[in-house]
């Protein structure tokens, strides 16, 4: 079953074509990697999927019913989509725990009426922070954390969304080996839970380890897709991505 279909999307910035008639199918419950040289359109595609920017043409088909020509950022959670960013985006002057609680208690009026309070949210936050090995930092101010720790908190916030589709934009960048192990475990666990993961990553070792399906973009277009080992062995992929 398809979690998401990208149908003929286009995005242009004045004379620069960022996405050129791109069509991709994201299968439900697997990890799909997206790779390509800088400027290939990976992050632009991620921004369109998450509603951060609009597409000039094309559509997103979520599941089997919802076809969207435009999605606003605040609508993404409604469709079960959440994401992380290359540049970490957190509330710097709040504690680690409060950063999680804001997400966990952010509900509309009807949901809030039936939501359990206090202890329930704290239990959720504890489980999630322990999952990324950051419970011990729960009272720390986010501004005082290292770059890697902030990335782990952003991943924790994504987990707190309880989404169906997780978009991870270079989640391993700048992390020490022990932190990379934590993020690797999180992605594998999401797959085991039946979640759909879309991963942008430059480390081909991690791509081979984590991804079931690989998509290669070049100049805003789909260059190749398939099993990682097969795709990465293609000459046109090597030439486009590695410049050989």
């Amino acid at each position: 079953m398809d979690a998401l279909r990208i149908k003929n999307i286009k995005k242009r910035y004045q004379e620069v074509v960022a996405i050129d008639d791109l069509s991709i199918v994201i299968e439900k419950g697997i990890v799909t990697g997206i790779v390509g040289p800088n400027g290939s359109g990976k992050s632009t595609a991620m921004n369109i999927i998450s509603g951060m920017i609009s597409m000039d043409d094309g559509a997103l088909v979520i599941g089997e019913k919802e076809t969207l020509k435009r999605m606003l950022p605040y609508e993404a959670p409604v469709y079960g989509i959440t994401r992380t960013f290359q540049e970490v985006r957190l509330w710097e002057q709040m504690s680690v725990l409060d950063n999680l609680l804001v997400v966990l208690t952010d509900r509309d009026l009807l949901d809030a009426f039936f939501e359990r309070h206090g202890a329930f949210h704290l239990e959720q936050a504890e489980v999630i922070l322990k999952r990324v090995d950051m419970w011990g930092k729960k009272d720390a101010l986010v501004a005082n954390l290292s770059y890697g720790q902030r990335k782990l908190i952003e991943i924790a916030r994504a987990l707190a969304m309880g989404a169906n589709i997780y978009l991870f934009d270079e989640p391993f960048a700048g992390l020490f080996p022990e932190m990379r192990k934590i993020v690797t475990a999180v992605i594998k666990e999401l797959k085991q839970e039946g979640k759909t993961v879309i991963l942008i990553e430059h480390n081909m070792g991690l791509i081979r380890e984590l991804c079931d399906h690989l998509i290669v973009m070049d100049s805003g277009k789909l260059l190749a897709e398939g099993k990682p080992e097969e795709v990465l062995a293609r000459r046109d992929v090597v030439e486009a991505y590695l410049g050989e």
Side-chain angles (χ1 to χ4, degrees):
M1 182 183 297
D2 300 337
L4 175 70
R5 280 176 286 160
I6 299 169
K7 298 180 65 176
N8 306 110
I9 63 172
K10 298 179 182 179
K11 183 63 181 180
R12 177 188 292 271
Y13 296 100
Q14 296 182 346
E15 300 302 316
V16 178
V17 178
I19 300 288
D20 188 6
D21 199 30
L22 179 68
S23 294
I24 294 174
V25 176
I26 304 296
E27 185 178 338
K28 183 179 180 181
I30 69 170
V31 181
T32 298
I34 301 180
V35 302
N38 291 334
S40 60
K42 305 183 300 296
S43 290
T44 301
M46 188 82 86
N47 287 335
I48 289 173
I49 295 169
S50 60
M52 300 303 297
I53 61 174
S54 63
M55 59 189 119
D56 297 332
D57 197 7
L60 299 176
V61 181
I62 302 170
E64 298 187 358
K65 295 184 293 184
E66 300 290 350
T67 301
L68 305 175
K69 294 287 187 179
R70 175 72 171 101
M71 181 167 63
L72 297 172
Y74 65 82
E75 294 176 318
V78 176
Y79 295 104
I81 299 173
T82 191
R83 68 167 297 173
T84 65
F85 295 85
Q86 290 183 34
E87 299 294 331
V88 179
R89 302 185 183 187
L90 297 169
W91 287 289
E92 297 280 331
Q93 299 307 314
M94 294 172 62
S95 72
V96 167
L97 181 58
D98 285 340
N99 265 267
L100 264 289
L101 291 175
V102 165
V103 176
L104 289 168
T105 59
D106 186 15
R107 303 288 187 269
D108 61 32
L109 184 60
L110 182 61
D111 287 337
F113 183 78
F114 292 102
E115 185 79 79
R116 284 180 284 174
H117 300 291
F120 174 67
H121 294 129
L122 286 170
E123 289 171 6
Q124 285 184 303
E126 181 177 357
V127 169
I128 293 167
L129 287 172
K130 284 182 176 178
R131 197 169 173 180
V132 296
D133 198 27
M134 288 296 292
W135 178 243
K137 293 285 187 179
K138 65 182 183 298
D139 296 320
L141 197 67
V142 166
N144 295 332
L145 298 180
S146 69
Y147 173 77
Q149 289 171 331
R150 290 199 298 272
K151 291 202 80 166
L152 292 178
I153 296 306
E154 187 176 49
I155 290 170
R157 277 166 42 94
L159 295 175
M161 296 296 293
N164 297 316
I165 301 173
Y166 289 81
L167 313 177
F168 291 126
D169 195 351
E170 299 190 27
F172 297 96
L175 297 186
F176 291 114
E178 288 303 313
M179 290 181 175
R180 288 201 295 268
K181 290 179 182 178
I182 293 169
V183 178
T184 296
V186 166
I187 292 173
K188 289 181 177 179
E189 288 165 4
L190 286 172
K191 178 185 171 181
Q192 291 172 353
E193 294 165 8
K195 305 297 186 179
T196 302
V197 176
I198 303 174
L199 171 66
I200 294 179
E201 178 55 44
H202 289 290
N203 185 313
M204 293 301 105
L206 290 168
I207 288 292
R208 289 184 172 94
E209 178 181 355
L210 293 171
C211 296
D212 304 286
H213 189 79
L214 183 61
I215 289 165
V216 182
M217 293 182 62
D218 188 30
S219 301
K221 297 180 179 180
L222 176 65
L223 175 62
E225 64 176 321
K227 294 181 179 180
E229 289 295 341
E230 296 174 359
V231 171
L232 293 173
R234 287 178 45 163
R235 185 64 190 173
D236 55 347
V237 170
V238 173
E239 289 175 351
Y241 190 64
L242 302 178
E244 297 181 2

